[in-house]
Short mmCIF file of all heavy atoms in Angstrom, two decimals:
data_model
loop_
_atom_site.label_atom_id
_atom_site.label_comp_id
_atom_site.label_asym_id
_atom_site.label_seq_id
_atom_site.Cartn_x
_atom_site.Cartn_y
_atom_site.Cartn_z
N MET A 219 11.98 0.50 15.32
CA MET A 219 12.68 -0.72 15.55
C MET A 219 11.82 -1.74 16.41
O MET A 219 11.90 -2.96 16.16
CB MET A 219 13.97 -0.47 16.31
CG MET A 219 14.96 -1.71 16.36
SD MET A 219 15.34 -2.27 14.67
CE MET A 219 16.25 -3.73 15.19
N SER A 220 11.09 -1.25 17.38
CA SER A 220 10.23 -2.07 18.23
C SER A 220 9.06 -2.71 17.35
O SER A 220 8.77 -3.86 17.42
CB SER A 220 9.67 -1.34 19.46
OG SER A 220 8.88 -0.32 18.99
N HIS A 221 8.62 -1.92 16.43
CA HIS A 221 7.61 -2.43 15.43
C HIS A 221 8.22 -3.56 14.62
O HIS A 221 7.65 -4.56 14.36
CB HIS A 221 7.07 -1.29 14.54
CG HIS A 221 6.29 -0.28 15.24
ND1 HIS A 221 5.82 0.83 14.69
CD2 HIS A 221 5.78 -0.22 16.49
CE1 HIS A 221 5.17 1.56 15.43
NE2 HIS A 221 5.05 0.90 16.60
N LEU A 222 9.44 -3.28 14.16
CA LEU A 222 10.12 -4.24 13.31
C LEU A 222 10.40 -5.63 14.02
O LEU A 222 10.34 -6.59 13.41
CB LEU A 222 11.48 -3.67 12.80
CG LEU A 222 12.20 -4.23 11.61
CD1 LEU A 222 11.33 -4.47 10.48
CD2 LEU A 222 13.30 -3.41 11.27
N LEU A 223 10.64 -5.44 15.33
CA LEU A 223 10.98 -6.72 16.05
C LEU A 223 9.71 -7.50 16.48
O LEU A 223 9.76 -8.65 16.67
CB LEU A 223 11.79 -6.40 17.24
CG LEU A 223 13.15 -5.82 17.06
CD1 LEU A 223 13.75 -5.22 18.38
CD2 LEU A 223 14.06 -6.90 16.52
N LEU A 224 8.56 -6.72 16.66
CA LEU A 224 7.39 -7.30 17.13
C LEU A 224 6.49 -7.83 15.86
O LEU A 224 5.94 -8.98 15.86
CB LEU A 224 6.55 -6.49 17.99
CG LEU A 224 7.26 -6.17 19.33
CD1 LEU A 224 6.41 -5.08 20.04
CD2 LEU A 224 7.34 -7.36 20.19
N TRP A 225 6.31 -6.92 14.90
CA TRP A 225 5.43 -7.23 13.75
C TRP A 225 6.18 -7.60 12.54
O TRP A 225 5.55 -8.17 11.60
CB TRP A 225 4.56 -6.01 13.42
CG TRP A 225 3.39 -5.85 14.36
CD1 TRP A 225 2.16 -6.41 14.27
CD2 TRP A 225 3.22 -4.98 15.48
NE1 TRP A 225 1.35 -6.01 15.17
CE2 TRP A 225 2.02 -5.06 15.99
CE3 TRP A 225 4.16 -4.05 16.02
CZ2 TRP A 225 1.48 -4.38 17.10
CZ3 TRP A 225 3.72 -3.31 17.14
CH2 TRP A 225 2.46 -3.47 17.62
N GLY A 226 7.46 -7.37 12.43
CA GLY A 226 8.17 -7.81 11.35
C GLY A 226 8.28 -6.76 10.29
O GLY A 226 8.84 -6.97 9.25
N ASN A 227 7.61 -5.62 10.48
CA ASN A 227 7.61 -4.59 9.56
C ASN A 227 7.53 -3.19 10.35
O ASN A 227 6.97 -3.08 11.35
CB ASN A 227 6.30 -4.64 8.66
CG ASN A 227 6.36 -5.78 7.78
OD1 ASN A 227 6.93 -5.80 6.70
ND2 ASN A 227 5.71 -6.92 8.25
N ALA A 228 8.12 -2.12 9.70
CA ALA A 228 8.12 -0.83 10.29
C ALA A 228 7.66 0.14 9.20
O ALA A 228 8.16 0.05 7.98
CB ALA A 228 9.48 -0.42 10.84
N TYR A 229 6.75 0.98 9.45
CA TYR A 229 6.26 1.98 8.49
C TYR A 229 6.30 3.36 9.01
O TYR A 229 6.15 3.59 10.27
CB TYR A 229 4.76 1.53 8.17
CG TYR A 229 4.45 0.26 7.59
CD1 TYR A 229 4.10 -0.84 8.51
CD2 TYR A 229 4.65 -0.05 6.28
CE1 TYR A 229 3.78 -2.15 7.99
CE2 TYR A 229 4.40 -1.30 5.81
CZ TYR A 229 3.95 -2.34 6.65
OH TYR A 229 3.68 -3.57 6.13
N ALA A 230 6.54 4.28 8.18
CA ALA A 230 6.42 5.70 8.46
C ALA A 230 5.95 6.53 7.35
O ALA A 230 6.19 6.22 6.19
CB ALA A 230 7.86 6.25 8.92
N GLN A 231 5.06 7.54 7.65
CA GLN A 231 4.52 8.31 6.56
C GLN A 231 5.57 9.39 6.20
O GLN A 231 6.14 10.04 7.11
CB GLN A 231 3.31 8.96 7.04
CG GLN A 231 2.61 9.81 5.98
CD GLN A 231 1.41 10.63 6.46
OE1 GLN A 231 1.29 10.83 7.66
NE2 GLN A 231 0.67 11.24 5.61
N ILE A 232 5.77 9.62 4.95
CA ILE A 232 6.80 10.53 4.46
C ILE A 232 5.95 11.83 3.89
O ILE A 232 5.09 11.77 3.17
CB ILE A 232 7.52 10.00 3.26
CG1 ILE A 232 8.28 8.76 3.61
CG2 ILE A 232 8.53 11.07 2.72
CD1 ILE A 232 9.03 8.05 2.46
N ILE A 233 6.34 12.96 4.61
CA ILE A 233 5.65 14.17 4.16
C ILE A 233 6.73 14.99 3.29
O ILE A 233 7.86 15.14 3.82
CB ILE A 233 5.33 15.16 5.39
CG1 ILE A 233 4.46 14.22 6.32
CG2 ILE A 233 4.62 16.34 4.99
CD1 ILE A 233 3.17 13.71 5.82
N ARG A 234 6.32 15.42 2.16
CA ARG A 234 7.24 16.06 1.25
C ARG A 234 6.67 17.48 0.90
O ARG A 234 5.55 17.77 1.04
CB ARG A 234 7.41 15.23 -0.07
CG ARG A 234 7.87 13.88 0.15
CD ARG A 234 8.00 13.15 -1.27
NE ARG A 234 8.38 11.78 -1.09
CZ ARG A 234 9.58 11.30 -1.06
NH1 ARG A 234 10.58 12.17 -1.20
NH2 ARG A 234 9.86 10.02 -0.90
N ASN A 235 7.60 18.40 0.47
CA ASN A 235 7.24 19.66 0.02
C ASN A 235 6.96 19.69 -1.45
O ASN A 235 7.03 18.53 -2.07
CB ASN A 235 8.26 20.77 0.39
CG ASN A 235 9.62 20.42 -0.18
OD1 ASN A 235 9.80 19.61 -1.01
ND2 ASN A 235 10.70 21.00 0.47
N ALA A 236 6.79 20.85 -2.04
CA ALA A 236 6.47 20.94 -3.50
C ALA A 236 7.72 20.48 -4.35
O ALA A 236 7.53 20.04 -5.52
CB ALA A 236 6.02 22.36 -3.87
N ARG A 237 8.92 20.60 -3.89
CA ARG A 237 10.05 20.19 -4.56
C ARG A 237 10.33 18.70 -4.42
O ARG A 237 11.32 18.18 -4.99
CB ARG A 237 11.29 20.97 -4.11
CG ARG A 237 11.21 22.48 -4.35
CD ARG A 237 12.53 23.15 -4.16
NE ARG A 237 12.90 23.07 -2.74
CZ ARG A 237 12.50 23.96 -1.82
NH1 ARG A 237 11.82 24.96 -2.18
NH2 ARG A 237 12.98 23.84 -0.67
N GLY A 238 9.54 17.94 -3.64
CA GLY A 238 9.85 16.45 -3.46
C GLY A 238 10.69 16.25 -2.28
O GLY A 238 11.12 15.07 -2.14
N GLU A 239 11.16 17.21 -1.57
CA GLU A 239 12.07 16.97 -0.45
C GLU A 239 11.30 16.55 0.77
O GLU A 239 10.23 17.05 0.98
CB GLU A 239 12.87 18.24 -0.09
CG GLU A 239 13.78 18.78 -1.25
CD GLU A 239 14.33 20.08 -1.04
OE1 GLU A 239 13.89 20.81 -0.05
OE2 GLU A 239 15.34 20.53 -1.71
N VAL A 240 11.97 15.67 1.65
CA VAL A 240 11.17 15.17 2.78
C VAL A 240 11.35 16.19 3.87
O VAL A 240 12.46 16.72 4.18
CB VAL A 240 11.83 13.85 3.22
CG1 VAL A 240 11.27 13.32 4.44
CG2 VAL A 240 11.83 12.77 2.13
N ILE A 241 10.19 16.63 4.44
CA ILE A 241 10.22 17.54 5.59
C ILE A 241 9.73 17.02 6.89
O ILE A 241 9.83 17.70 7.94
CB ILE A 241 9.33 18.77 5.14
CG1 ILE A 241 7.85 18.33 4.85
CG2 ILE A 241 9.92 19.43 3.92
CD1 ILE A 241 6.94 19.42 4.60
N ALA A 242 9.19 15.74 6.84
CA ALA A 242 8.72 15.18 8.18
C ALA A 242 8.46 13.68 7.99
O ALA A 242 8.24 13.17 6.82
CB ALA A 242 7.44 15.80 8.60
N LEU A 243 8.66 12.91 9.06
CA LEU A 243 8.39 11.51 9.02
C LEU A 243 7.54 11.16 10.32
O LEU A 243 7.94 11.54 11.44
CB LEU A 243 9.73 10.70 9.14
CG LEU A 243 10.70 10.86 7.90
CD1 LEU A 243 12.05 10.26 8.27
CD2 LEU A 243 10.05 10.15 6.73
N TYR A 244 6.51 10.46 10.12
CA TYR A 244 5.51 10.03 11.26
C TYR A 244 5.40 8.49 11.17
O TYR A 244 5.12 7.91 10.20
CB TYR A 244 4.23 10.60 11.11
CG TYR A 244 4.22 12.12 11.31
CD1 TYR A 244 4.37 13.09 10.33
CD2 TYR A 244 3.87 12.64 12.63
CE1 TYR A 244 4.39 14.47 10.60
CE2 TYR A 244 3.88 14.07 12.90
CZ TYR A 244 4.13 14.87 11.82
OH TYR A 244 4.05 16.23 12.09
N PRO A 245 5.66 7.85 12.41
CA PRO A 245 5.58 6.43 12.46
C PRO A 245 4.08 5.97 12.31
O PRO A 245 3.15 6.69 12.76
CB PRO A 245 6.11 6.06 13.80
CG PRO A 245 5.94 7.35 14.61
CD PRO A 245 6.11 8.51 13.63
N LEU A 246 3.86 4.90 11.69
CA LEU A 246 2.58 4.24 11.51
C LEU A 246 2.47 2.90 12.17
O LEU A 246 3.54 2.15 12.12
CB LEU A 246 2.22 4.15 10.00
CG LEU A 246 2.26 5.36 9.18
CD1 LEU A 246 2.06 5.13 7.66
CD2 LEU A 246 1.18 6.35 9.67
N MET A 247 1.37 2.42 12.70
CA MET A 247 1.29 1.23 13.34
C MET A 247 1.14 0.04 12.34
O MET A 247 0.31 0.09 11.32
CB MET A 247 -0.03 1.15 14.19
CG MET A 247 0.10 2.04 15.42
SD MET A 247 1.40 1.48 16.49
CE MET A 247 0.85 -0.06 17.06
N PRO A 248 1.93 -0.98 12.46
CA PRO A 248 2.01 -2.07 11.42
C PRO A 248 0.70 -2.90 11.43
O PRO A 248 0.33 -3.42 10.35
CB PRO A 248 3.12 -2.89 11.84
CG PRO A 248 3.99 -1.99 12.70
CD PRO A 248 3.09 -1.13 13.37
N ASN A 249 0.03 -3.02 12.54
CA ASN A 249 -1.20 -3.81 12.54
C ASN A 249 -2.39 -3.08 11.88
O ASN A 249 -3.39 -3.75 11.71
CB ASN A 249 -1.44 -4.26 13.97
CG ASN A 249 -1.75 -2.99 14.93
OD1 ASN A 249 -1.14 -1.91 14.57
ND2 ASN A 249 -2.38 -3.19 15.95
N LYS A 250 -2.22 -1.89 11.48
CA LYS A 250 -3.27 -1.19 10.78
C LYS A 250 -2.93 -0.95 9.38
O LYS A 250 -3.74 -0.35 8.65
CB LYS A 250 -3.40 0.25 11.38
CG LYS A 250 -3.82 0.27 12.87
CD LYS A 250 -4.03 1.68 13.54
CE LYS A 250 -4.30 1.66 14.94
NZ LYS A 250 -4.40 3.08 15.42
N MET A 251 -1.91 -1.56 8.87
CA MET A 251 -1.31 -1.36 7.57
C MET A 251 -1.66 -2.60 6.66
O MET A 251 -1.53 -3.72 7.11
CB MET A 251 0.09 -1.05 7.51
CG MET A 251 0.66 -0.73 6.10
SD MET A 251 0.05 0.87 5.34
CE MET A 251 0.98 1.96 6.38
N THR A 252 -2.10 -2.34 5.48
CA THR A 252 -2.26 -3.32 4.44
C THR A 252 -1.48 -3.02 3.25
O THR A 252 -1.57 -2.01 2.67
CB THR A 252 -3.72 -3.48 4.14
OG1 THR A 252 -4.56 -3.80 5.23
CG2 THR A 252 -3.97 -4.68 3.05
N VAL A 253 -0.67 -4.00 2.74
CA VAL A 253 0.19 -3.84 1.58
C VAL A 253 -0.46 -4.79 0.50
O VAL A 253 -0.61 -5.98 0.68
CB VAL A 253 1.56 -4.24 1.81
CG1 VAL A 253 2.41 -3.86 0.60
CG2 VAL A 253 2.14 -3.39 3.06
N ASP A 254 -0.78 -4.27 -0.62
CA ASP A 254 -1.36 -5.03 -1.69
C ASP A 254 -0.96 -4.47 -3.10
O ASP A 254 -0.27 -3.45 -3.16
CB ASP A 254 -2.87 -5.03 -1.53
CG ASP A 254 -3.49 -6.40 -1.99
OD1 ASP A 254 -2.86 -7.02 -2.82
OD2 ASP A 254 -4.64 -6.75 -1.58
N ARG A 255 -1.42 -5.15 -4.15
CA ARG A 255 -1.09 -4.66 -5.46
C ARG A 255 -2.50 -4.41 -6.22
O ARG A 255 -3.51 -5.09 -5.97
CB ARG A 255 -0.32 -5.74 -6.25
CG ARG A 255 1.00 -6.03 -5.73
CD ARG A 255 1.74 -7.01 -6.69
NE ARG A 255 3.04 -7.37 -6.17
CZ ARG A 255 4.13 -6.75 -6.32
NH1 ARG A 255 4.10 -5.62 -7.17
NH2 ARG A 255 5.34 -7.07 -5.95
N ASP A 256 -2.49 -3.34 -7.02
CA ASP A 256 -3.66 -3.02 -7.88
C ASP A 256 -3.65 -3.94 -9.05
O ASP A 256 -2.89 -4.86 -9.26
CB ASP A 256 -3.65 -1.59 -8.21
CG ASP A 256 -2.44 -1.12 -9.05
OD1 ASP A 256 -1.71 -2.09 -9.53
OD2 ASP A 256 -2.13 0.05 -9.12
N LYS A 257 -4.75 -3.77 -9.94
CA LYS A 257 -4.77 -4.57 -11.11
C LYS A 257 -3.65 -4.51 -12.06
O LYS A 257 -3.44 -5.35 -12.90
CB LYS A 257 -6.12 -4.25 -11.79
CG LYS A 257 -6.26 -2.84 -12.30
CD LYS A 257 -7.51 -2.59 -12.91
CE LYS A 257 -7.59 -1.12 -13.44
NZ LYS A 257 -8.93 -0.87 -14.13
N ASN A 258 -2.85 -3.44 -11.98
CA ASN A 258 -1.71 -3.30 -12.88
C ASN A 258 -0.41 -3.79 -12.28
O ASN A 258 0.70 -3.69 -12.82
CB ASN A 258 -1.51 -1.78 -13.25
CG ASN A 258 -2.68 -1.22 -14.06
OD1 ASN A 258 -3.24 -1.93 -14.93
ND2 ASN A 258 -3.04 0.04 -13.77
N GLY A 259 -0.46 -4.36 -11.00
CA GLY A 259 0.63 -4.94 -10.35
C GLY A 259 1.46 -3.90 -9.53
O GLY A 259 2.56 -4.27 -9.02
N ARG A 260 0.93 -2.73 -9.40
CA ARG A 260 1.66 -1.71 -8.66
C ARG A 260 1.26 -1.72 -7.16
O ARG A 260 0.17 -2.01 -6.81
CB ARG A 260 1.35 -0.30 -9.18
CG ARG A 260 2.01 0.84 -8.41
CD ARG A 260 1.63 2.18 -9.05
NE ARG A 260 2.07 3.30 -8.31
CZ ARG A 260 3.25 3.75 -8.14
NH1 ARG A 260 4.24 3.27 -8.94
NH2 ARG A 260 3.57 4.87 -7.46
N LEU A 261 2.31 -1.67 -6.35
CA LEU A 261 2.17 -1.71 -4.89
C LEU A 261 1.34 -0.51 -4.47
O LEU A 261 1.58 0.69 -4.89
CB LEU A 261 3.39 -1.80 -4.12
CG LEU A 261 4.19 -3.21 -4.04
CD1 LEU A 261 5.48 -3.09 -3.44
CD2 LEU A 261 3.31 -4.21 -3.37
N PHE A 262 0.56 -0.68 -3.32
CA PHE A 262 -0.08 0.42 -2.67
C PHE A 262 -0.32 0.02 -1.30
O PHE A 262 -0.20 -1.15 -0.89
CB PHE A 262 -1.38 0.84 -3.43
CG PHE A 262 -2.56 -0.18 -3.24
CD1 PHE A 262 -3.45 -0.14 -2.18
CD2 PHE A 262 -2.72 -1.21 -4.20
CE1 PHE A 262 -4.43 -1.03 -1.97
CE2 PHE A 262 -3.73 -2.11 -4.08
CZ PHE A 262 -4.51 -2.02 -2.97
N TYR A 263 -0.45 1.07 -0.31
CA TYR A 263 -0.65 0.87 1.08
C TYR A 263 -2.00 1.50 1.50
O TYR A 263 -2.35 2.60 1.13
CB TYR A 263 0.55 1.63 1.76
CG TYR A 263 1.92 1.03 1.52
CD1 TYR A 263 2.63 1.45 0.42
CD2 TYR A 263 2.47 0.20 2.51
CE1 TYR A 263 3.88 0.96 0.14
CE2 TYR A 263 3.73 -0.35 2.19
CZ TYR A 263 4.43 0.04 1.07
OH TYR A 263 5.68 -0.42 0.83
N LEU A 264 -2.64 0.67 2.31
CA LEU A 264 -3.95 1.07 2.93
C LEU A 264 -3.74 1.18 4.43
O LEU A 264 -3.40 0.10 5.01
CB LEU A 264 -5.13 0.13 2.48
CG LEU A 264 -5.68 0.30 1.11
CD1 LEU A 264 -6.79 -0.72 0.82
CD2 LEU A 264 -6.22 1.71 0.85
N TYR A 265 -4.09 2.22 5.05
CA TYR A 265 -3.88 2.41 6.40
C TYR A 265 -5.29 2.76 7.09
O TYR A 265 -6.01 3.59 6.58
CB TYR A 265 -2.87 3.57 6.74
CG TYR A 265 -2.48 3.68 8.25
CD1 TYR A 265 -1.63 2.69 8.73
CD2 TYR A 265 -3.01 4.64 8.97
CE1 TYR A 265 -1.29 2.79 10.09
CE2 TYR A 265 -2.65 4.73 10.36
CZ TYR A 265 -1.75 3.80 10.86
OH TYR A 265 -1.46 3.90 12.18
N GLN A 266 -5.52 2.01 8.10
CA GLN A 266 -6.72 2.24 8.87
C GLN A 266 -6.46 3.30 10.00
O GLN A 266 -5.91 3.04 11.04
CB GLN A 266 -7.24 0.98 9.62
CG GLN A 266 -7.71 -0.08 8.60
CD GLN A 266 -8.19 -1.36 9.25
OE1 GLN A 266 -8.20 -1.53 10.42
NE2 GLN A 266 -8.71 -2.25 8.46
#
């Protein structure tokens, strides 16, 4: 929430098991994240 209020975005890495169930969530810094689209128009995230 503090990331959301300061940077306008909040990011967290989703860790899943083999069945696709979420088993962990880790916060990511917004100032290190880049959101863009590939040549097919699909969103992807790049994190430093």
